[in-house]
């Protein structure tokens, strides 16, 4: 069923929409596909787009462009999901999450024939022979093939090259090929090598080792020690490699998929485990539509599109379950023709695999965000947003952290044209203020930083970001004015409603100008990154200082009382409580404690100032 309405009337269309599963396509001008979606109930799902209470800016912008809606009914929601994925791949709609993955995974192919060769292969698996994989990257295939040349010495040359050899090639000379082209190995022994290679690729390394152990012992009994030594070396190599490749305790085929979302970028990591072997990982950065998109929604779209072109394992482990995980599993089961399970492990070995994939996704995201190209793009966006004449070459951000006024610490992080400049990060322990007074803490930290810059002709930032509102910005401006510092743009980063990322407001100079950047703004993502780094650095310092204060002995705060004298005092009095109750005269009797130091210790515990 589809609609064909020259003047699209949503209410009129919804009256005819069915309560059935299916796929819908939102069309713009000239029939351009804006969005493809699937639904368990088309009427209910489509009705949600045309209510007057849309809060998602991305959906709101899309709905305003809709000139027509086309629908296709399916038998089940799983069928709808499969059709949706195909349509997204076909049309690449602007408002869908898109996965760019033009190539399939590579394989290792062992050809058919009298003397099979081992080759890199990508494409439809129509040629005769055995295929192993898929491998997550070309590098993983090259590495495995390099190992197999060393271990099994199977040929990798083309058939035309093989047929025309009259003497062994260089590969034979360096012991990377057994030389079947010129009869350096008989057919039976070569077939044995290929069989061992197949077992190795199937993850049955232990079977190969067991067989080689028997051959080694037989060769030794026959006094063929050279052959026994070859088997011994091969066994040792196989044991070493199997320890590196084997995922302990695993069987079958598993994919581990983890997602990390930050700074407007999504990083999806896929680890591939086949026959118990970890074949490596691959990272993806799906193109995201404008607006706020949840990580679970991105993961759902990724899985649906990714497995259109890739083999589906029996089990898919994910870092978080998409809302439609059951439907996804049904769709993949339908595609693959066998049971597919999607689950989020909570404990055990499989949860550790997900943690590993998550760490890789986070690292890949960080590298993507901090890449030179990405950083430059954000700097240009920041320059435009703040109306600056040139790119900001140095940016600093200050933040304050404390717990109910205890152990207040201020942080200063520095970013330049290449990203974080960690060697110039600084922390300031705040003293002598009313506990919990963030304004006074900010004033003290900024004064210490910029007074030093003035006295020592130090570097000044082009932009000074302050994590806070108008009050904190006023403190920054006051410090710069007191120290006669010019040429520094002050920008406050005020948190939005519910402290939700993307709703921050920028306070420029005296607070007379407020700037709210769009959620997808590259400039806002850079500011968020700098602000978050300042917050992380401040809270880390605060926690360390608080922990030190709680584990530190009060004796350490008394000037002139070193470690050895503290130890002697504690030994003489048997503990801190006894020292607190002792008189100055009793303290002075301890070796190394002068009357003046004894008085200082007594006054410290009895509230008197010296």
């Amino acid at each position: 069923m589809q609609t064909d309405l020259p003047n699209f009337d949503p209410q009129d269309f919804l009256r005819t929409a069915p309560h059935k599963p299916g796929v819908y396509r939102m069309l713009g001008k000239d029939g351009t596909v804006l969005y493809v979606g699937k639904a368990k109930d088309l009427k209910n799902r489509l009705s949600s787009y045309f209510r007057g209470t849309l809060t998602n800016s991305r959906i709101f912008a899309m709905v305003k462009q809709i000139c027509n809606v086309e629908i296709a009914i399916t038998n089940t929601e799983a069928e709808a999901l499969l059709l949706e994925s195909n349509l997204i791949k076909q049309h690449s709609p602007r408002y869908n999450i898109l996965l760019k993955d033009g190539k399939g995974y590579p394989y290792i192919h062992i050809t058919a024939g009298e003397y099979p060769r081992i080759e890199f292969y990508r494409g439809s698996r129509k040629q005769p022979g055995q295929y192993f994989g898929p491998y997550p990257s070309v590098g993983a295939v090259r590495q495995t093939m390099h190992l197999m040349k060393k271990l099994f010495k199977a040929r990798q040359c083309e058939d035309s090259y093989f047929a025309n050899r009259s003497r062994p090639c260089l590969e034979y000379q360096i012991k990377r090929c057994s030389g079947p082209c010129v009869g350096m190995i008989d057919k039976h022994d070569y077939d044995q090598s290929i069989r061992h290679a197949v077992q190795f690729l199937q993850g049955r390394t232990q079977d190969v080792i067991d067989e080689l152990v028997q051959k080694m012992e037989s060769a030794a009994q026959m006094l063929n020690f050279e052959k026994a030594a070859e088997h011994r070396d091969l066994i040792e190599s196989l044991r070493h490699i199997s320890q590196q490749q084997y995922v302990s305790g695993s069987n079958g085929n598993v994919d581990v998929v983890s997602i990390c979302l930050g700074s407007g970028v999504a990083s999806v990591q896929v680890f591939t485990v086949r026959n118990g072997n970890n074949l490596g990982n691959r990272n993806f950065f799906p193109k995201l539509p404008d607006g706020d998109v949840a990580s679970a929604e991105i993961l759902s779209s990724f899985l649906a599109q990714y497995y259109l072109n890739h083999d589906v394992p029996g089990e898919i482990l994910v870092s978080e379950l998409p809302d439609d995980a059951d439907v996804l599993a049904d769709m993949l089961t339908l595609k693959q023709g066998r049971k597919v399970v999607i689950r989020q492990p909570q404990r055990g070995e499989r949860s550790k695999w997900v943690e590993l994939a998550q760490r890789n996704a986070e690292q890949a995201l960080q590298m993507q965000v901090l890449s030179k190209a990405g950083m430059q793009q954000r700097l240009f966006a920041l320059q435009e947003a703040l109306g600056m004449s040139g790119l900001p070459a140095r940016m600093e951000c200050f933040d304050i952290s404390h717990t109910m006024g205890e152990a207040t610490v201020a942080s200063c992080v520095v970013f330049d044209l290449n990203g974080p400049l960690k060697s110039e990060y600084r922390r300031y322990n705040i003293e002598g203020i009313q506990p919990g007074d963030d304004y006074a803490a900010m004033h003290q930290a900024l004064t210490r930083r910029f007074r030093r810059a003035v006295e020592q002709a130090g570097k000044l930032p082009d932009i000074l970001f302050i994590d806070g509102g108008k009050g904190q910005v006023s403190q920054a401006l006051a410090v710069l004015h007191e120290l006669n510092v010019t040429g520094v743009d002050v920008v406050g980063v005020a948190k939005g409603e519910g402290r939700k990322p993307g709703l921050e407001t920028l306070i420029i100079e005296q607070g007379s100008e407020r700037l709210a950047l769009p959620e997808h703004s590259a400039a806002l993502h850079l500011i968020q990154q700098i602000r978050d780094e300042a917050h992380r650095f401040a809270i880390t310092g605060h926690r360390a200082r608080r922990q030190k204060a709680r584990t530190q002995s009060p004796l350490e705060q008394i000037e002139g009382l070193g470690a050895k004298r503290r130890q002697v005092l504690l030994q003489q009095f048997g503990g801190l409580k006894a020292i607190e109750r002792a008189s100055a005269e009793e303290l002075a009797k301890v070796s190394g404690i002068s009357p003046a130091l004894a008085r200082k210790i007594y006054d410290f515990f009895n509230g008197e100032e010296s």
Side-chain angles (χ1 to χ4, degrees):
M1 172 183 177
Q2 73 175 40
T3 63
D4 186 16
L5 305 174
N7 298 313
F8 182 63
D9 182 350
Q11 300 308 319
D12 186 48
F13 165 72
L14 290 173
R15 279 194 290 271
T16 63
H19 287 284
K20 293 184 177 180
V23 173
Y24 56 90
R25 284 176 287 177
M26 306 292 198
L27 306 181
K29 292 181 180 179
D30 303 322
T32 304
V33 179
L34 301 173
Y35 183 78
V36 175
K38 57 90 182 170
K40 186 176 181 179
D41 186 310
L42 282 168
K43 189 179 187 73
N44 291 347
R45 184 70 184 94
L46 289 166
S47 297
S48 67
Y49 287 100
F50 302 107
R51 296 171 184 154
T53 56
L54 286 175
T55 56
N56 188 303
S57 57
R58 172 173 64 101
I59 301 300
F60 182 75
M62 180 193 71
V63 169
K64 290 196 299 183
Q65 302 176 53
I66 293 175
C67 297
N68 200 356
V69 178
E70 295 180 348
I71 63 175
I73 297 172
T74 59
N75 292 318
T76 65
E77 191 178 2
E79 290 181 7
L81 183 56
L82 186 59
L83 177 58
E84 177 199 37
S85 301
N86 283 308
L87 289 174
I88 290 174
K89 180 182 177 183
Q90 178 183 349
H91 297 289
S92 298
R94 175 183 175 185
Y95 289 95
N96 281 98
I97 297 166
L98 304 179
L99 171 63
K100 294 182 178 181
D101 182 28
K103 296 181 179 179
Y105 276 171
Y107 287 79
I108 289 177
H109 177 217
I110 298 181
T111 63
E114 187 176 7
Y115 289 97
R117 67 183 287 248
I118 300 176
E119 64 175 358
F120 171 94
Y121 190 86
R122 176 183 269 152
S124 59
R125 289 169 286 168
K126 295 180 179 179
Q127 296 184 21
Q130 300 181 69
Y131 294 86
F132 300 91
Y135 285 77
S137 66
V138 172
V141 176
R142 302 293 186 205
Q143 182 182 20
T144 303
M145 291 179 66
H146 178 70
L147 287 172
M148 294 180 69
K149 283 203 299 184
K150 294 170 61 178
L151 294 172
F152 306 111
K153 299 181 176 60
R155 76 177 183 96
Q156 297 186 19
C157 56
E158 297 286 346
D159 289 342
S160 57
Y161 185 86
F162 177 83
N164 293 290
R165 292 300 299 174
S166 59
R167 61 180 180 177
C169 65
L170 181 62
E171 290 286 300
Y172 175 81
Q173 302 294 337
I174 62 174
K175 298 183 179 181
R176 294 294 184 268
C177 178
S178 55
C181 55
V182 290
M184 293 297 180
I185 183 174
D186 62 40
K187 181 71 167 60
H188 177 267
D189 288 344
Y190 188 82
D191 288 343
Q192 289 285 80
S193 295
I194 292 295
R195 186 168 60 82
H196 289 158
V198 170
Q199 290 176 318
F200 174 77
L201 290 171
Q202 290 174 338
R204 296 164 54 198
T205 309
Q206 190 58 48
D207 293 346
V208 181
I209 292 173
D210 292 343
E211 185 175 334
L212 288 172
V213 167
Q214 293 179 1
K215 289 186 175 183
M216 179 182 67
E217 292 175 349
S218 298
Q221 290 173 1
M222 297 173 64
L223 305 182
N224 189 350
F225 299 116
E226 184 178 351
K227 193 68 175 177
E230 288 181 12
H231 291 319
R232 179 203 61 203
D233 294 342
L234 181 54
I235 290 167
E236 184 178 350
S237 298
L238 283 170
R239 288 194 190 280
H240 178 68
I241 292 167
S242 66
Q243 289 171 359
Q244 293 179 334
Q245 288 193 334
Y246 190 68
V247 180
S248 176
S250 67
N251 291 302
N253 299 329
V254 179
D255 279 356
V256 185
V257 185
S258 184
I259 184 170
C260 184
L261 183 63
S263 299
V265 178
S267 168
V268 181
Q269 189 82 197
V270 180
F271 271 80
T272 305
V273 179
R274 294 293 182 268
N275 298 308
N277 286 326
N278 184 353
L279 301 183
N281 63 308
R282 192 173 178 183
N283 206 81
F284 300 86
F285 298 96
K287 180 183 176 183
L288 304 183
D290 295 341
D292 190 18
V293 187
S295 57
E297 180 183 352
I298 299 171
L299 188 58
S300 175
S301 294
F302 173 85
L303 293 173
Q305 296 178 61
Y306 176 79
Y307 285 112
L308 281 178
N309 302 320
H310 297 84
D311 286 343
V312 186
E315 184 178 14
I316 301 171
L317 307 179
V318 293
S319 57
E320 57 181 290
L321 278 175
D323 294 336
D324 57 349
D326 292 340
V327 179
L328 274 169
D330 290 344
M331 183 270 279
L332 297 177
T333 298
L334 187 68
K335 174 183 181 292
Q336 202 66 13
R338 53 175 168 74
K339 181 68 173 177
V340 176
V341 178
I342 300 175
R343 66 188 187 91
Q344 180 186 16
Q346 301 297 326
R347 60 183 65 86
E349 186 180 43
R350 276 167 162 70
S351 68
K352 294 178 181 177
W353 297 355
V354 175
E355 290 173 8
L356 175 64
Q358 186 68 25
R359 288 198 299 271
N360 278 270
E362 291 169 358
Q363 179 65 30
L365 176 65
Q366 185 179 11
M367 293 175 65
Q368 180 78 357
V369 168
L370 297 180
S371 66
K372 190 170 183 179
M375 189 68 186
Q376 190 172 41
Q377 178 189 1
R378 293 175 179 209
L379 286 170
F380 278 120
L382 182 61
Q383 175 191 354
E384 182 180 357
L386 299 181
M388 303 179 69
S389 58
L391 288 179
R394 182 184 176 94
M395 297 162 286
E396 297 183 9
C397 183
F398 278 75
D399 189 21
I400 305 295
S401 181
H402 59 80
T403 302
M404 304 291 288
E406 178 191 0
T408 302
V409 171
S411 71
C412 171
V413 300
V414 182
F415 278 59
D416 63 7
L417 295 174
N418 297 314
L421 196 60
K422 295 192 175 183
S423 62
E424 299 197 20
Y425 283 16
R426 295 292 182 270
R427 289 194 184 101
Y428 302 90
N429 291 334
I430 305 300
E431 305 287 358
I433 65 169
Q434 185 71 25
D437 188 345
D438 286 354
Y439 294 161
M442 184 66 73
H443 192 282
Q444 182 181 132
L446 291 168
T447 300
R448 290 164 62 182
R449 186 269 180 263
F450 286 100
R451 177 177 290 143
R452 184 185 182 93
V454 170
E455 293 174 351
Q456 301 181 7
K459 299 176 182 177
L460 294 175
D462 296 312
I463 304 177
L464 174 61
F465 290 108
I466 304 295
D467 186 14
K470 185 175 180 180
Q472 283 87 346
V473 171
S474 298
Q475 294 297 323
L477 293 170
V479 169
L480 297 180
H481 179 72
E482 291 168 9
L483 298 174
N484 196 27
V485 175
T486 59
V488 177
D489 293 334
V490 179
V491 178
V493 186
K495 297 178 178 65
E497 182 180 353
R499 306 172 73 90
K500 183 179 179 182
L503 300 180
E504 292 87 350
T505 300
L506 305 184
I507 300 172
I508 313 297
E509 295 295 335
Q510 298 286 357
S512 57
E513 182 183 350
R514 290 176 176 263
L515 179 63
L517 298 176
E519 291 182 23
H520 61 277
S521 165
L524 178 60
H525 295 157
L526 175 58
I527 293 171
Q528 289 172 335
Q529 180 187 352
I530 297 172
R531 186 271 318 276
D532 291 345
E533 179 68 354
H535 181 67
R536 179 200 65 78
F537 196 56
I539 200 168
T540 302
H542 158 65
R543 287 171 176 168
R545 187 183 181 198
R546 183 182 61 188
Q547 183 64 25
K548 181 179 179 180
R550 292 178 179 177
T551 58
Q552 186 181 45
S553 169
L555 295 175
E556 295 180 47
Q557 302 177 37
I558 302 174
E559 186 179 356
L561 191 62
K564 289 184 178 179
R565 288 175 176 173
R566 292 197 300 268
Q567 185 178 10
V568 171
L569 273 175
L570 290 168
Q571 289 173 346
Q572 290 290 326
F573 287 92
L576 186 62
K577 290 294 184 183
I579 296 174
E580 293 176 2
R581 293 193 296 265
S583 65
E585 290 75 14
E586 290 174 315
L587 292 168
K589 294 177 182 179
V590 177
S591 176
I593 304 297
S594 66
L597 182 56
R599 173 55 60 179
K600 187 181 290 187
I601 297 170
Y602 176 81
D603 291 342
F604 178 84
F605 287 114
N606 290 275
E608 298 181 19
E609 296 183 359
S610 56

